[in-house]
Amino acid sequence: MEQLVLKDIREGIGVLTLNNPARRNALSMELCRQLSAALEDFGRQKLPVAVLRAEAGAKVWSAGHDITQLPKVHNEPLSYDSPMEAAFRSIQDYPGPVIAMIQGSVWGGATDLAVTCDIAVGDETSSFAITPVKMGLPYNASGIMHFINRVGINVAREMFYTAEPVKAERAYHVGILNHLISSREIEDFTMELARTIASNSPLAVSVVKEQFRILSESYQITPESFERIQALRRKVYNSSDYAEGIKAFLEKRRPEFKGH
Ligand code: YXS
């Protein structure tokens, strides 16, 4: 089996490196499964902090969901038990902060992965795009909540409506990035930040992390609202626009959406 996620332990800090540059670290099912397994392994070793990065100097941190693996039309594209969604939850479940160290461009579900991490440190080459509307794809409610909680509803709206990359300076300004550090210093800076966190009580840090998660997810939603969201999303993933979005990517051309 190809090692799509490299594991390393440096001074008690778990370091995960996305390792499929030929496919621009696309979040394939196998890569996501390896990411979840690596975090579970680090948890068993009681590593207080994990860092998630790509190869040094990456032009693309991750190209997002593996489009060749998106379920075809008439199927839920982001189901709760899909490996990518499970990987997001393994970051939230990890009993300590997961720090995303970002070099290069970040696309689609990988931007959701980055904003699901507890802290994000980026360099001047980092940029962030959330792209479902480019694919004719309906994003899911928990994913939208990750963005609302990170950047606020007004910036989240613009990111989803435009699907345009948010470049490093603005990403720092709107809160996608906690720190914007030069590519020369980002590795040392990120490890120093991880060591600082690791020097505190791991039990207290893990409990405060879980409290942040519970409080950030405490939104009332009625059963009818839940069903309405599902019906709205079905309209999209049953649409010919969704089929066209995937086909266009695979044929390396711009999609021609018809609005149905
Ligand atoms: O042609 P080969 O076989 O060499 O493969 C190419 C690409 O097809 C492949 N690749 C991908 N394969 C599957 N899923 C992907 N997301 C993906 N991205 C790339 O990797 C090989 C090299 O790609 P290439 O030649 O385009 O590299 P580049 O350096 O010229 O351009 C890098 C990118 C990232 C700008 C370009 O690959 C790109 O625009 N990729 C798609 C980014 C994107 O739209 N991602 C969203 C995926 S859908 C998703 O995440 C969510 C479901 S949602 O849509 O809701 O956000």
Side-chain angles (χ1 to χ4, degrees), residues 16-39:
L16 299 171
T17 304
L18 302 173
N19 183 46
N20 194 6
R23 306 274 300 166
R24 303 302 182 265
N25 294 328
L27 301 180
S28 63
M29 292 185 199
E30 186 46 36
L31 185 149
C32 291
R33 285 191 193 103
Q34 289 186 26
L35 180 54
S36 296
L39 280 166

PDB file of all heavy atoms in Angstrom, residues 16-39:
ATOM      1  N   LEU A  16       2.441  14.859  10.615  1.00  0.00           N
ATOM      2  CA  LEU A  16       1.845  14.114   9.498  1.00  0.00           C
ATOM      3  C   LEU A  16       2.109  14.887   8.226  1.00  0.00           C
ATOM      4  O   LEU A  16       1.831  16.094   8.157  1.00  0.00           O
ATOM      5  CB  LEU A  16       0.329  13.984   9.709  1.00  0.00           C
ATOM      6  CG  LEU A  16      -0.109  13.238  10.971  1.00  0.00           C
ATOM      7  CD1 LEU A  16      -1.606  13.375  11.180  1.00  0.00           C
ATOM      8  CD2 LEU A  16       0.310  11.783  10.894  1.00  0.00           C
ATOM      9  N   THR A  17       2.640  14.205   7.209  1.00  0.00           N
ATOM     10  CA  THR A  17       2.930  14.871   5.932  1.00  0.00           C
ATOM     11  C   THR A  17       2.117  14.242   4.815  1.00  0.00           C
ATOM     12  O   THR A  17       2.228  13.033   4.568  1.00  0.00           O
ATOM     13  CB  THR A  17       4.436  14.780   5.596  1.00  0.00           C
ATOM     14  OG1 THR A  17       5.188  15.335   6.682  1.00  0.00           O
ATOM     15  CG2 THR A  17       4.755  15.555   4.309  1.00  0.00           C
ATOM     16  N   LEU A  18       1.285  15.066   4.159  1.00  0.00           N
ATOM     17  CA  LEU A  18       0.528  14.584   2.998  1.00  0.00           C
ATOM     18  C   LEU A  18       1.565  14.229   1.932  1.00  0.00           C
ATOM     19  O   LEU A  18       2.445  15.031   1.610  1.00  0.00           O
ATOM     20  CB  LEU A  18      -0.422  15.684   2.500  1.00  0.00           C
ATOM     21  CG  LEU A  18      -1.439  16.193   3.529  1.00  0.00           C
ATOM     22  CD1 LEU A  18      -2.209  17.401   2.970  1.00  0.00           C
ATOM     23  CD2 LEU A  18      -2.398  15.095   3.963  1.00  0.00           C
ATOM     24  N   ASN A  19       1.453  13.023   1.363  1.00  0.00           N
ATOM     25  CA  ASN A  19       2.559  12.522   0.554  1.00  0.00           C
ATOM     26  C   ASN A  19       2.096  11.929  -0.774  1.00  0.00           C
ATOM     27  O   ASN A  19       2.368  10.771  -1.096  1.00  0.00           O
ATOM     28  CB  ASN A  19       3.323  11.448   1.363  1.00  0.00           C
ATOM     29  CG  ASN A  19       4.525  10.921   0.621  1.00  0.00           C
ATOM     30  OD1 ASN A  19       5.299  11.702   0.063  1.00  0.00           O
ATOM     31  ND2 ASN A  19       4.666   9.600   0.576  1.00  0.00           N
ATOM     32  N   ASN A  20       1.340  12.751  -1.555  1.00  0.00           N
ATOM     33  CA  ASN A  20       0.987  12.277  -2.893  1.00  0.00           C
ATOM     34  C   ASN A  20       1.056  13.441  -3.880  1.00  0.00           C
ATOM     35  O   ASN A  20       0.059  13.811  -4.515  1.00  0.00           O
ATOM     36  CB  ASN A  20      -0.416  11.650  -2.887  1.00  0.00           C
ATOM     37  CG  ASN A  20      -0.691  10.847  -4.147  1.00  0.00           C
ATOM     38  OD1 ASN A  20       0.197  10.658  -4.982  1.00  0.00           O
ATOM     39  ND2 ASN A  20      -1.931  10.411  -4.314  1.00  0.00           N
ATOM     40  N   PRO A  21       2.243  14.064  -3.983  1.00  0.00           N
ATOM     41  CA  PRO A  21       2.355  15.278  -4.813  1.00  0.00           C
ATOM     42  C   PRO A  21       1.947  15.049  -6.277  1.00  0.00           C
ATOM     43  O   PRO A  21       1.425  15.953  -6.920  1.00  0.00           O
ATOM     44  CB  PRO A  21       3.830  15.666  -4.695  1.00  0.00           C
ATOM     45  CG  PRO A  21       4.528  14.561  -3.987  1.00  0.00           C
ATOM     46  CD  PRO A  21       3.513  13.724  -3.314  1.00  0.00           C
ATOM     47  N   ALA A  22       2.120  13.833  -6.762  1.00  0.00           N
ATOM     48  CA  ALA A  22       1.767  13.585  -8.178  1.00  0.00           C
ATOM     49  C   ALA A  22       0.269  13.834  -8.399  1.00  0.00           C
ATOM     50  O   ALA A  22      -0.152  14.235  -9.487  1.00  0.00           O
ATOM     51  CB  ALA A  22       2.117  12.159  -8.567  1.00  0.00           C
ATOM     52  N   ARG A  23      -0.533  13.613  -7.335  1.00  0.00           N
ATOM     53  CA  ARG A  23      -1.975  13.876  -7.441  1.00  0.00           C
ATOM     54  C   ARG A  23      -2.342  15.100  -6.612  1.00  0.00           C
ATOM     55  O   ARG A  23      -3.470  15.254  -6.156  1.00  0.00           O
ATOM     56  CB  ARG A  23      -2.784  12.653  -6.937  1.00  0.00           C
ATOM     57  CG  ARG A  23      -2.425  11.357  -7.583  1.00  0.00           C
ATOM     58  CD  ARG A  23      -3.147  11.080  -8.852  1.00  0.00           C
ATOM     59  NE  ARG A  23      -4.598  11.018  -8.693  1.00  0.00           N
ATOM     60  CZ  ARG A  23      -5.438  11.062  -9.723  1.00  0.00           C
ATOM     61  NH1 ARG A  23      -4.962  11.235 -10.924  1.00  0.00           N
ATOM     62  NH2 ARG A  23      -6.741  10.976  -9.545  1.00  0.00           N
ATOM     63  N   ARG A  24      -1.314  15.961  -6.411  1.00  0.00           N
ATOM     64  CA  ARG A  24      -1.500  17.207  -5.668  1.00  0.00           C
ATOM     65  C   ARG A  24      -2.175  16.952  -4.300  1.00  0.00           C
ATOM     66  O   ARG A  24      -3.045  17.678  -3.866  1.00  0.00           O
ATOM     67  CB  ARG A  24      -2.312  18.230  -6.484  1.00  0.00           C
ATOM     68  CG  ARG A  24      -1.705  18.568  -7.831  1.00  0.00           C
ATOM     69  CD  ARG A  24      -0.306  19.124  -7.707  1.00  0.00           C
ATOM     70  NE  ARG A  24       0.281  19.495  -8.993  1.00  0.00           N
ATOM     71  CZ  ARG A  24       1.075  18.709  -9.716  1.00  0.00           C
ATOM     72  NH1 ARG A  24       1.337  17.461  -9.302  1.00  0.00           N
ATOM     73  NH2 ARG A  24       1.579  19.133 -10.863  1.00  0.00           N
ATOM     74  N   ASN A  25      -1.764  15.851  -3.675  1.00  0.00           N
ATOM     75  CA  ASN A  25      -2.281  15.472  -2.349  1.00  0.00           C
ATOM     76  C   ASN A  25      -3.811  15.474  -2.302  1.00  0.00           C
ATOM     77  O   ASN A  25      -4.418  15.850  -1.289  1.00  0.00           O
ATOM     78  CB  ASN A  25      -1.716  16.391  -1.257  1.00  0.00           C
ATOM     79  CG  ASN A  25      -0.222  16.230  -1.095  1.00  0.00           C
ATOM     80  OD1 ASN A  25       0.325  15.148  -1.301  1.00  0.00           O
ATOM     81  ND2 ASN A  25       0.454  17.313  -0.745  1.00  0.00           N
ATOM     82  N   ALA A  26      -4.427  15.055  -3.411  1.00  0.00           N
ATOM     83  CA  ALA A  26      -5.901  14.971  -3.431  1.00  0.00           C
ATOM     84  C   ALA A  26      -6.359  14.049  -2.304  1.00  0.00           C
ATOM     85  O   ALA A  26      -5.715  13.050  -1.998  1.00  0.00           O
ATOM     86  CB  ALA A  26      -6.376  14.437  -4.781  1.00  0.00           C
ATOM     87  N   LEU A  27      -7.459  14.420  -1.672  1.00  0.00           N
ATOM     88  CA  LEU A  27      -7.954  13.677  -0.499  1.00  0.00           C
ATOM     89  C   LEU A  27      -8.717  12.444  -0.971  1.00  0.00           C
ATOM     90  O   LEU A  27      -9.951  12.380  -0.893  1.00  0.00           O
ATOM     91  CB  LEU A  27      -8.829  14.593   0.366  1.00  0.00           C
ATOM     92  CG  LEU A  27      -8.132  15.848   0.897  1.00  0.00           C
ATOM     93  CD1 LEU A  27      -9.099  16.690   1.733  1.00  0.00           C
ATOM     94  CD2 LEU A  27      -6.881  15.516   1.705  1.00  0.00           C
ATOM     95  N   SER A  28      -7.943  11.470  -1.465  1.00  0.00           N
ATOM     96  CA  SER A  28      -8.571  10.208  -1.909  1.00  0.00           C
ATOM     97  C   SER A  28      -9.054   9.442  -0.684  1.00  0.00           C
ATOM     98  O   SER A  28      -8.668   9.739   0.457  1.00  0.00           O
ATOM     99  CB  SER A  28      -7.537   9.360  -2.651  1.00  0.00           C
ATOM    100  OG  SER A  28      -6.484   9.016  -1.737  1.00  0.00           O
ATOM    101  N   MET A  29      -9.909   8.434  -0.907  1.00  0.00           N
ATOM    102  CA  MET A  29     -10.410   7.646   0.224  1.00  0.00           C
ATOM    103  C   MET A  29      -9.239   7.042   1.000  1.00  0.00           C
ATOM    104  O   MET A  29      -9.201   7.078   2.232  1.00  0.00           O
ATOM    105  CB  MET A  29     -11.331   6.536  -0.292  1.00  0.00           C
ATOM    106  CG  MET A  29     -12.612   7.045  -0.887  1.00  0.00           C
ATOM    107  SD  MET A  29     -13.679   5.655  -1.323  1.00  0.00           S
ATOM    108  CE  MET A  29     -14.780   6.468  -2.484  1.00  0.00           C
ATOM    109  N   GLU A  30      -8.246   6.546   0.261  1.00  0.00           N
ATOM    110  CA  GLU A  30      -7.115   5.871   0.921  1.00  0.00           C
ATOM    111  C   GLU A  30      -6.282   6.872   1.725  1.00  0.00           C
ATOM    112  O   GLU A  30      -5.913   6.608   2.879  1.00  0.00           O
ATOM    113  CB  GLU A  30      -6.245   5.149  -0.108  1.00  0.00           C
ATOM    114  CG  GLU A  30      -5.134   4.297   0.503  1.00  0.00           C
ATOM    115  CD  GLU A  30      -5.597   3.412   1.675  1.00  0.00           C
ATOM    116  OE1 GLU A  30      -6.739   2.890   1.648  1.00  0.00           O
ATOM    117  OE2 GLU A  30      -4.805   3.277   2.635  1.00  0.00           O
ATOM    118  N   LEU A  31      -6.060   8.056   1.146  1.00  0.00           N
ATOM    119  CA  LEU A  31      -5.264   9.058   1.895  1.00  0.00           C
ATOM    120  C   LEU A  31      -6.021   9.447   3.166  1.00  0.00           C
ATOM    121  O   LEU A  31      -5.439   9.519   4.260  1.00  0.00           O
ATOM    122  CB  LEU A  31      -5.000  10.288   1.021  1.00  0.00           C
ATOM    123  CG  LEU A  31      -4.079  11.353   1.624  1.00  0.00           C
ATOM    124  CD1 LEU A  31      -3.269  12.085   0.552  1.00  0.00           C
ATOM    125  CD2 LEU A  31      -4.831  12.381   2.456  1.00  0.00           C
ATOM    126  N   CYS A  32      -7.342   9.649   3.061  1.00  0.00           N
ATOM    127  CA  CYS A  32      -8.128  10.037   4.243  1.00  0.00           C
ATOM    128  C   CYS A  32      -8.121   8.932   5.300  1.00  0.00           C
ATOM    129  O   CYS A  32      -8.006   9.207   6.502  1.00  0.00           O
ATOM    130  CB  CYS A  32      -9.554  10.376   3.830  1.00  0.00           C
ATOM    131  SG  CYS A  32      -9.659  11.904   2.867  1.00  0.00           S
ATOM    132  N   ARG A  33      -8.210   7.682   4.859  1.00  0.00           N
ATOM    133  CA  ARG A  33      -8.178   6.567   5.824  1.00  0.00           C
ATOM    134  C   ARG A  33      -6.822   6.542   6.544  1.00  0.00           C
ATOM    135  O   ARG A  33      -6.737   6.360   7.752  1.00  0.00           O
ATOM    136  CB  ARG A  33      -8.422   5.227   5.119  1.00  0.00           C
ATOM    137  CG  ARG A  33      -9.874   5.006   4.720  1.00  0.00           C
ATOM    138  CD  ARG A  33     -10.155   3.572   4.276  1.00  0.00           C
ATOM    139  NE  ARG A  33     -11.470   3.512   3.630  1.00  0.00           N
ATOM    140  CZ  ARG A  33     -11.648   3.439   2.309  1.00  0.00           C
ATOM    141  NH1 ARG A  33     -10.595   3.387   1.494  1.00  0.00           N
ATOM    142  NH2 ARG A  33     -12.868   3.422   1.773  1.00  0.00           N
ATOM    143  N   GLN A  34      -5.740   6.782   5.784  1.00  0.00           N
ATOM    144  CA  GLN A  34      -4.410   6.772   6.398  1.00  0.00           C
ATOM    145  C   GLN A  34      -4.260   7.957   7.354  1.00  0.00           C
ATOM    146  O   GLN A  34      -3.628   7.843   8.410  1.00  0.00           O
ATOM    147  CB  GLN A  34      -3.325   6.811   5.309  1.00  0.00           C
ATOM    148  CG  GLN A  34      -3.205   5.514   4.516  1.00  0.00           C
ATOM    149  CD  GLN A  34      -2.033   5.528   3.539  1.00  0.00           C
ATOM    150  OE1 GLN A  34      -1.030   6.246   3.731  1.00  0.00           O
ATOM    151  NE2 GLN A  34      -2.145   4.733   2.482  1.00  0.00           N
ATOM    152  N   LEU A  35      -4.874   9.078   7.020  1.00  0.00           N
ATOM    153  CA  LEU A  35      -4.812  10.255   7.905  1.00  0.00           C
ATOM    154  C   LEU A  35      -5.514   9.951   9.228  1.00  0.00           C
ATOM    155  O   LEU A  35      -4.969  10.176  10.315  1.00  0.00           O
ATOM    156  CB  LEU A  35      -5.452  11.460   7.200  1.00  0.00           C
ATOM    157  CG  LEU A  35      -5.504  12.786   7.942  1.00  0.00           C
ATOM    158  CD1 LEU A  35      -4.132  13.213   8.442  1.00  0.00           C
ATOM    159  CD2 LEU A  35      -6.096  13.888   7.038  1.00  0.00           C
ATOM    160  N   SER A  36      -6.706   9.350   9.139  1.00  0.00           N
ATOM    161  CA  SER A  36      -7.433   9.006  10.371  1.00  0.00           C
ATOM    162  C   SER A  36      -6.664   7.989  11.194  1.00  0.00           C
ATOM    163  O   SER A  36      -6.515   8.134  12.411  1.00  0.00           O
ATOM    164  CB  SER A  36      -8.823   8.440  10.026  1.00  0.00           C
ATOM    165  OG  SER A  36      -9.605   9.435   9.394  1.00  0.00           O
ATOM    166  N   ALA A  37      -6.095   6.979  10.520  1.00  0.00           N
ATOM    167  CA  ALA A  37      -5.348   5.922  11.240  1.00  0.00           C
ATOM    168  C   ALA A  37      -4.105   6.503  11.916  1.00  0.00           C
ATOM    169  O   ALA A  37      -3.778   6.160  13.059  1.00  0.00           O
ATOM    170  CB  ALA A  37      -4.956   4.813  10.259  1.00  0.00           C
ATOM    171  N   ALA A  38      -3.443   7.440  11.231  1.00  0.00           N
ATOM    172  CA  ALA A  38      -2.223   8.032  11.792  1.00  0.00           C
ATOM    173  C   ALA A  38      -2.563   8.847  13.046  1.00  0.00           C
ATOM    174  O   ALA A  38      -1.863   8.778  14.070  1.00  0.00           O
ATOM    175  CB  ALA A  38      -1.558   8.920  10.746  1.00  0.00           C
ATOM    176  N   LEU A  39      -3.687   9.577  12.991  1.00  0.00           N
ATOM    177  CA  LEU A  39      -4.087  10.365  14.168  1.00  0.00           C
ATOM    178  C   LEU A  39      -4.463   9.425  15.322  1.00  0.00           C
ATOM    179  O   LEU A  39      -4.118   9.688  16.482  1.00  0.00           O
ATOM    180  CB  LEU A  39      -5.256  11.285  13.815  1.00  0.00           C
ATOM    181  CG  LEU A  39      -4.857  12.571  13.086  1.00  0.00           C
ATOM    182  CD1 LEU A  39      -6.075  13.247  12.463  1.00  0.00           C
ATOM    183  CD2 LEU A  39      -4.133  13.531  14.026  1.00  0.00           C
TER     184      LEU A  39
END
